[in-house]
Amino acid sequence: MSDQIQFIVEKLNQEPFRKNYNLITFDSLESTQLLQLLNDVLGEIDPKHAVDIREELPEQTAKRMLSLLGILKYKPPGSISDLSTFRQGLVTGSKPVIHPVLHWLLQRTNELKKRAYLARFLVKLEVPAEFLQDDTVADINKQYEELMEAFKNLHKECEQLKTSGLSTAEIRRDISAMEEEKDQLVKRVERLKKRVETVQNHQRMLEIARQLRLEKEREESLAQQKQEQKNQLFHAEQRLQRAQLQLKEMHHAVVDSKPESLMKKLEEEINFNSYMVTEKLPRELESKKNSAYFLQKVVAEPAMSQSDLNVLEIKINEINAQINQLIEKRMMKYEPIDSKFSMYRQQASIISRKKEAKAEELQAAKEEMSSTERQMLQKTSQAHELEGSEVLKGDEFKHYVNKLRSKNTFYKKKRLEIAEITAEYGILQRTEELLKQRHEAIQQQLQAIEDKKGISGYSYTQEELERVSAVKSEMDEMKGRTLDNMSEMVKKLNTMVAEKKASLAPVIKELRQLRQKCQELTQECDEKKIQYDSCAAGLESNRSTLEQEVKGLLEECVQEENNYRYINCMKRNLEIQLQRAKEEMKAYVSADPQERRKAIREQYTRMILEQENLGKKLREKQKVVRESHGPNMKQIKMWQDFEQLMECKRECFLKQQNHTAIGQVIQEGGKDRLVL
């Protein structure tokens, strides 16, 4: 824990927080300050959360923080894995809850910033299935999903471009290499122009070569368009298959959905909800209120000693004995009359317990069904995102497995063929290289001979003319073949159209009859739909009122649960204090001196005696110091005066020595003059 707090303090003292904390100041923060600090860290990760928590309610703060932590995929540690405990600790600003959250956030701030940024665009809004029946809502939802996929792809491309960026040195090297290649190509083109200028009709040949190049480019673009159209056709077929599967599922769902069955389901739901609202929830609420009332009474009473508890236990035992005696008397007095009623009461209590158990099982089953439906919708959406088909079942799956096996064997065969072709391709490539080398050597020899004879470039122009004539003949043959193929294709299409018309004539007649039936059925369907809408509107209004009542009761239940938890905590604190008082009383009353020494009272008395003895010693020492203070100060004054006196004597002695030295020097100077 100390390492964790030290890491948090170090990160908070750095950019961009600059809090200037130490371990003591951080540990002494209050709950509101700690919550504000957590909110500042969350605001650094997501700027939408950079608010002052004093301006909003604690429930709103907890809800906002929990939603962001859920988006960031934070998992509480094992000690506070309960969501209610974690939420309560987040509301109250508990250190065991907030310190791990801060440690986890500060460890991976950059990663969480990126996740929070992506969550604004990639957290999908769950639209209910009944709203998706509307075409406008369905189209908007489809556009929303397509935009989300486009954002995913663009973000991936952006990340790839960021990670795979080339350096400026590499780009400069590439540019210089490309410029060198450009110069070489320009020189080569100039040499070729000089060679071609000597040939007759070179302009016409260049025009033909340019037309050939344009036709090749056009052929490549047409092939690319053909491939794109094939891909579009494939995607359109896949979308059509998915739409057909969805239509089939909707048909299957609508087949059994009659108004009677819907009314029956709604009646069952109404009965269940009315039982929950009128019987089960009020009973549970009443029991919670009673327990809360008793707990409040227990908390309001003053603290009790062991003797008071013993008296209460004796009273409880006496009252229980009286109750048992009264029950026995009543059973002896009214046993023949109430025997049947007691049996019926037992049966009624058993039935009510079974009813409650079944209601709880039904509630759990509904929750499980809703969770499985959500999972199924998530899986289907993931499958649609991956361009996959629906889940196969039964014989379809077996057929699919057999198809995969046959494809696997076919794939292995083709793989062997590819390996053989690649080996043969390597051999042919090597032979091609050898032939190219030989051809180059022969060309060099031929060029040397032409230079000697004075007809340089003759062989090259001859080859060009032959190649252009061959290409022209091939183009003429290809055009003739394409015209023949087109005429044959037109004939086949005309025959196919005639056959299709002949085969579709009876089908068109049947289709006309079916259209008339369809119009009649659509009219009937519209009438039924109007009846259904009116009935559904009434039921929806009743359901909304019931939902509001249930919501109000659930809010009251949540409030009572919070009160119950608070009272339970207070009760635990009082129990702990009572247990400490019992242990203290037991240790104080015990005959064993070792146990008595463990009592807090004995420890405090020992500490008081020690402090009193220490105070006595200090007072005696103070008295001695006070008595000796005056003489000591006088002695210090005398020593200071003595020092000044000695200093004065030393200065006088030094001055006297200086005067004697000067007199000797003067006398010696006078003697010297006399001698001279």
Side-chain angles (χ1 to χ4, degrees):
M1 184 64 73
S2 61
D3 297 336
Q4 188 182 43
I5 294 173
Q6 189 174 1
F7 176 77
I8 293 169
V9 170
E10 288 177 358
K11 287 291 184 181
L12 290 175
N13 291 334
Q14 296 174 4
E15 291 289 341
F17 303 106
R18 292 184 180 180
K19 294 295 182 181
N20 294 325
Y21 286 143
N22 54 27
L23 294 176
I24 297 169
T25 55
F26 178 74
D27 191 55
S28 62
L29 291 176
E30 296 180 358
S31 59
T32 54
Q33 294 174 346
L34 203 59
L35 273 174
Q36 184 63 48
L37 184 61
L38 176 60
N39 191 76
D40 293 340
V41 176
L42 292 175
E44 180 63 26
I45 292 169
D46 191 355
K48 290 194 297 183
H49 293 265
V51 296
D52 192 353
I53 61 171
R54 293 174 294 181
E55 297 177 358
E56 60 182 1
L57 296 173
E59 293 294 331
Q60 294 177 354
T61 304
K63 185 177 179 181
R64 179 170 55 78
M65 289 182 178
L66 283 171
S67 64
L68 182 58
L69 290 174
I71 290 169
L72 299 178
K73 296 180 181 178
Y74 172 72
K75 293 181 181 178
S79 58
I80 51 172
S81 59
D82 189 7
L83 185 59
S84 61
T85 308
F86 178 73
R87 187 172 182 273
Q88 189 175 1
L90 197 63
V91 171
T92 58
S94 177
K95 291 181 181 179
V97 173
I98 293 178
H99 284 177
V101 179
L102 283 172
H103 184 260
W104 186 80
L105 292 173
L106 293 171
Q107 272 184 330
R108 44 183 71 83
T109 307
N110 295 326
E111 178 186 351
L112 295 177
K113 282 183 181 179
K114 183 178 177 182
R115 190 176 293 173
Y117 168 73
L118 293 176
R120 285 188 290 173
F121 307 102
L122 297 181
V123 174
K124 190 175 180 182
L125 296 174
E126 295 295 334
V127 182
E130 57 267 20
F131 293 158
L132 291 174
Q133 300 297 326
D134 191 0
D135 295 334
T136 307
V137 177
D139 293 336
I140 293 169
N141 189 30
K142 188 176 179 182
Q143 291 177 5
Y144 169 66
E145 291 176 354
E146 290 175 354
L147 290 172
M148 190 179 288
E149 290 296 326
F151 176 76
K152 285 181 184 178
N153 296 325
L154 289 172
H155 186 265
K156 287 179 183 177
E157 291 178 2
C158 180
E159 291 295 325
Q160 288 175 0
L161 290 172
K162 284 181 180 178
T163 54
S164 65
L166 296 173
S167 63
T168 56
E170 292 179 355
I171 294 170
R172 285 174 182 171
R173 283 198 296 270
D174 292 339
I175 290 169
S176 61
M178 291 168 71
E179 287 178 352
E180 290 177 358
E181 289 180 359
K182 181 182 176 182
D183 295 335
Q184 291 176 2
L185 289 171
V186 169
K187 291 177 182 178
R188 190 174 176 184
V189 168
E190 289 177 354
R191 286 199 302 269
L192 290 173
K193 281 182 178 179
K194 288 178 181 179
R195 286 184 181 179
V196 170
E197 285 175 357
T198 58
V199 181
Q200 294 179 357
N201 297 327
H202 66 278
Q203 292 292 337
R204 186 169 175 275
M205 291 180 183
L206 288 172
E207 186 66 26
I208 292 167
R210 185 164 55 253
Q211 289 178 2
L212 177 63
R213 180 173 54 79
L214 292 172
E215 290 295 329
K216 284 185 177 179
E217 290 177 356
R218 186 163 172 263
E219 184 182 0
E220 290 176 357
S221 64
L222 290 172
Q224 189 175 1
Q225 289 178 5
K226 183 179 178 182
Q227 187 64 34
E228 289 177 357
Q229 289 177 358
K230 281 184 179 180
N231 293 329
Q232 290 176 2
L233 180 63
F234 177 71
H235 291 304
E237 287 176 353
Q238 283 188 345
R239 287 198 294 272
L240 179 62
Q241 289 177 0
R242 287 199 297 272
Q244 287 176 353
L245 288 171
Q246 290 179 359
L247 183 62
K248 187 187 284 187
E249 289 178 357
M250 291 174 70
H251 279 309
H252 285 304
V254 172
V255 167
D256 297 329
S257 61
K258 296 179 180 179
E260 292 82 2
S261 61
L262 292 172
M263 289 290 292
K264 190 174 180 181
K265 287 181 182 178
L266 289 171
E267 285 177 358
E268 289 177 356
E269 289 182 359
I270 290 167
N271 292 327
F272 174 72
N273 291 326
S274 61
Y275 167 72
M276 293 289 289
V277 172
T278 57
E279 295 184 15
K280 188 178 178 184
L281 291 175
R283 197 182 304 122
E284 292 180 355
L285 186 61
E286 190 65 29
S287 65
K288 297 287 184 185
K289 285 181 179 178
N290 291 328
S291 61
Y293 174 71
F294 287 123
L295 289 171
Q296 286 177 356
K297 284 183 69 177
V298 170
V299 171
E301 289 181 358
M304 293 178 155
S305 62
Q306 185 65 33
S307 60
D308 295 333
L309 292 173
N310 293 328
V311 171
L312 287 174
E313 286 179 358
I314 292 166
K315 286 183 180 179
I316 289 166
N317 293 327
E318 290 176 356
I319 291 167
N320 286 328
Q322 291 176 6
I323 289 168
N324 291 327
Q325 290 176 4
L326 291 172
I327 289 169
E328 289 177 359
K329 288 179 182 179
R330 186 174 177 279
M331 289 175 68
M332 291 172 65
K333 189 175 181 181
Y334 298 104
E335 186 176 0
I337 298 170
D338 291 342
S339 60
K340 293 182 180 179
F341 291 110
S342 62
M343 181 176 67
Y344 291 138
R345 287 195 192 96
Q346 289 176 0
Q347 290 178 357
S349 63
I350 290 166
I351 290 167
S352 64
R353 284 196 295 272
K354 286 183 178 179
K355 191 175 181 182
E356 289 178 359
K358 292 296 181 184
E360 290 176 357
E361 289 178 1
L362 180 60
Q363 188 70 22
K366 282 186 175 181
E367 291 176 357
E368 187 178 359
M369 185 177 72
S370 62
S371 65
T372 51
E373 285 178 354
R374 285 196 297 272
Q375 290 177 2
M376 184 181 71
L377 290 172
Q378 289 177 0
K379 297 294 183 185
T380 51
S381 63
Q382 290 176 3
H384 289 313
E385 287 175 0
L386 295 172
E387 296 293 335
S389 59
E390 298 294 330
V391 179
L392 300 177
K393 298 178 182 178
D395 296 333
E396 293 180 356
F397 183 72
K398 291 180 181 178
H399 179 68
Y400 181 68
V401 170
N402 294 325
K403 190 176 179 181
L404 282 178
R405 287 175 181 169
S406 62
K407 284 185 177 179
N408 192 12
T409 55
F410 183 72
Y411 167 72
K412 288 179 180 178
K413 289 179 182 178
K414 293 296 180 184
R415 194 172 178 181
L416 291 172
E417 290 178 1
I418 289 167
E420 292 175 357
I421 290 166
T422 50
E424 189 175 357
Y425 173 72
I427 295 166
L428 292 172
Q429 195 173 9
R430 180 60 182 164
T431 54
E432 184 184 2
E433 289 177 358
L434 295 172
L435 290 172
K436 280 182 180 179
Q437 291 175 1
R438 290 177 63 185
H439 177 68
E440 288 177 358
I442 291 167
Q443 284 291 113
Q444 289 176 359
Q445 291 176 4
L446 182 61
Q447 193 172 1
I449 293 167
E450 288 176 354
D451 291 335
K452 287 180 182 179
K453 300 293 184 180
I455 53 171
S456 61
Y458 176 76
S459 60
Y460 179 75
T461 53
Q462 183 99 18
E463 289 174 359
E464 286 291 327
L465 289 171
E466 290 176 356
R467 187 173 63 80
V468 170
S469 61
V471 168
K472 185 176 181 300
S473 62
E474 288 177 0
M475 288 293 293
D476 294 335
E477 290 177 359
M478 190 183 294
K479 287 179 181 178
R481 285 198 299 272
T482 52
L483 289 172
D484 294 335
N485 292 328
M486 288 173 71
S487 61
E488 290 178 0
M489 191 180 292
V490 169
K491 290 179 182 178
K492 288 180 181 179
L493 288 171
N494 289 326
T495 53
M496 287 173 68
V497 168
E499 290 175 358
K500 291 292 182 182
K501 283 182 179 179
S503 61
L504 288 173
V507 177
I508 291 167
K509 290 180 181 178
E510 292 179 0
L511 182 62
R512 288 173 183 170
Q513 296 175 0
L514 291 172
R515 280 180 180 170
Q516 292 177 358
K517 289 183 181 179
C518 180
Q519 289 177 358
E520 294 173 358
L521 290 172
T522 50
Q523 290 177 359
E524 187 178 357
C525 179
D526 293 334
E527 293 174 358
K528 297 291 184 183
K529 190 177 181 182
I530 292 166
Q531 294 176 2
Y532 169 74
D533 290 336
S534 62
C535 182
L539 293 172
E540 183 68 23
S541 63
N542 294 328
R543 188 175 69 83
S544 62
T545 54
L546 289 172
E547 283 181 353
Q548 290 177 358
E549 291 177 1
V550 171
K551 188 177 180 181
L553 291 170
L554 287 173
E555 289 177 355
E556 291 179 2
C557 184
V558 169
Q559 189 175 1
E560 294 297 331
E561 284 180 358
N562 292 328
N563 293 330
Y564 168 71
R565 290 193 183 94
Y566 175 72
I567 293 166
N568 196 7
C569 293
M570 296 296 293
K571 180 186 172 186
R572 286 180 184 173
N573 292 329
L574 292 172
E575 286 177 354
I576 291 167
Q577 293 177 3
L578 183 62
Q579 185 66 27
R580 287 180 180 174
K582 286 181 181 179
E583 291 176 357
E584 179 66 21
M585 184 66 71
K586 184 178 178 182
Y588 183 70
V589 177
S590 177
D592 190 3
Q594 296 294 331
E595 289 291 331
R596 195 179 296 168
R597 286 178 66 84
K598 292 180 181 178
I600 297 171
R601 185 172 179 179
E602 292 292 331
Q603 293 177 5
Y604 278 119
T605 52
R606 284 199 301 274
M607 290 172 69
I608 289 166
L609 289 172
E610 290 175 359
Q611 294 297 323
E612 286 178 355
N613 294 327
L614 183 61
K616 286 179 182 179
K617 290 179 181 179
L618 291 172
R619 281 194 293 272
E620 291 175 357
K621 192 173 181 181
Q622 186 182 10
K623 186 178 178 183
V624 172
V625 170
R626 282 180 180 175
E627 290 175 354
S628 61
H629 181 263
N632 288 334
M633 291 300 293
K634 287 181 181 179
Q635 192 173 3
I636 290 168
K637 185 71 171 57
M638 290 169 68
W639 275 107
Q640 288 177 354
D641 294 339
F642 181 72
E643 277 185 1
Q644 289 179 1
L645 183 61
M646 295 302 291
E647 184 67 27
C648 184
K649 284 184 177 183
R650 187 175 68 83
E651 289 177 357
C652 292
F653 178 73
L654 291 172
K655 286 180 181 179
Q656 188 178 2
Q657 281 186 349
N658 290 330
H659 285 302
T660 53
I662 292 165
Q664 287 177 1
V665 169
I666 292 168
Q667 289 177 1
E668 289 176 358
K671 288 178 181 181
D672 292 336
R673 286 176 185 175
L674 290 172
V675 171
L676 291 171

